[in-house]
Amino acid sequence: MATRSLTLAQVKPGDLLPPLAVEVSATTVILGALASRDWRPMHHDRDFAQQRNGVRDIFMNTPNQAAWFERYLTDWTGPRGRLARMRFGMKDSVFVGDRMEMRGIVEEVERDSAGCGFATVNVTLTADGRPATHCQARVALPVGGDDNPWRRKGDDWNP
């Protein structure tokens, strides 16, 4: 089965990305903390989170959220999409039991001086409808059928 790979010509400002919704489980939170070697107890110890931090449950750490943003964006682009830059600000926590939902919109589409195509995407992450995190990402997209941003390096890669 062929995997779809978005090209720059298929993207324009205002395009909406399909939403991604995930029911956040303890496994989702704990495995993300373990993968990023974050041993702080508020990401795996419910008693610590509730009694010491005064929050309702364990919650997702920063690298775990970053990984979810990257997955969301590359699910949209396909395998040739390459994350160039990403920045985000967390306003609220994502807890076990929350329904995490991501929605994105393309803000800008451009080609750089080396001919690499980029889309700037704004992504909003909500947790049970609460605004939790906003992300802005710059993603490289192929400009044609034989272009692959993953092959770009040196002067041809200016994220």
Side-chain angles (χ1 to χ4, degrees):
M1 183 164 117
T3 303
R4 176 187 78 103
S5 193
L6 212 54
T7 64
L8 191 66
Q10 296 171 297
V11 179
K12 65 185 182 315
D15 284 354
L16 298 176
L17 281 64
L20 172 67
V22 176
E23 300 296 328
V24 179
S25 68
T27 301
T28 306
V29 173
I30 293 168
L31 288 180
L34 289 174
S36 61
R37 297 181 179 187
D38 185 346
W39 313 125
R40 289 177 284 184
M42 65 279 247
H43 302 304
H44 65 85
D45 184 330
R46 176 173 283 140
D47 290 338
F48 181 93
Q50 292 173 337
Q51 295 165 16
R52 175 88 187 267
N53 284 8
V55 295
R56 73 172 199 248
D57 210 327
I58 60 175
F59 53 93
M60 221 181 252
N61 72 353
T62 304
N64 196 352
Q65 283 196 36
W68 280 99
F69 282 122
E70 186 170 355
R71 176 211 164 160
Y72 178 64
L73 291 163
T74 57
D75 279 359
W76 170 65
T77 66
R80 289 192 179 176
R82 181 179 180 186
L83 188 62
R85 293 193 291 244
M86 179 172 62
R87 67 176 172 210
F88 58 94
M90 298 161 66
K91 296 174 178 36
D92 199 354
S93 297
V94 179
F95 293 100
V96 168
D98 282 344
R99 177 183 169 85
M100 176 175 71
E101 187 167 354
M102 293 186 182
R103 292 181 178 271
I105 184 168
V106 177
E107 179 181 297
E108 183 179 14
V109 176
E110 63 181 321
R111 285 178 81 160
D112 69 8
S113 60
C116 189
F118 289 98
T120 300
V121 181
N122 287 317
V123 181
T124 302
L125 182 156
T126 58
D128 277 354
R130 302 180 322 274
T133 306
H134 177 265
C135 172
Q136 186 177 66
R138 182 172 160 94
V139 184
L141 296 169
V143 294
D146 57 349
D147 183 34
N148 185 345
W150 286 98
R151 292 188 189 132
R152 293 183 176 269
K153 53 188 166 200
D155 291 339
D156 290 335
W157 179 243
N158 302 301

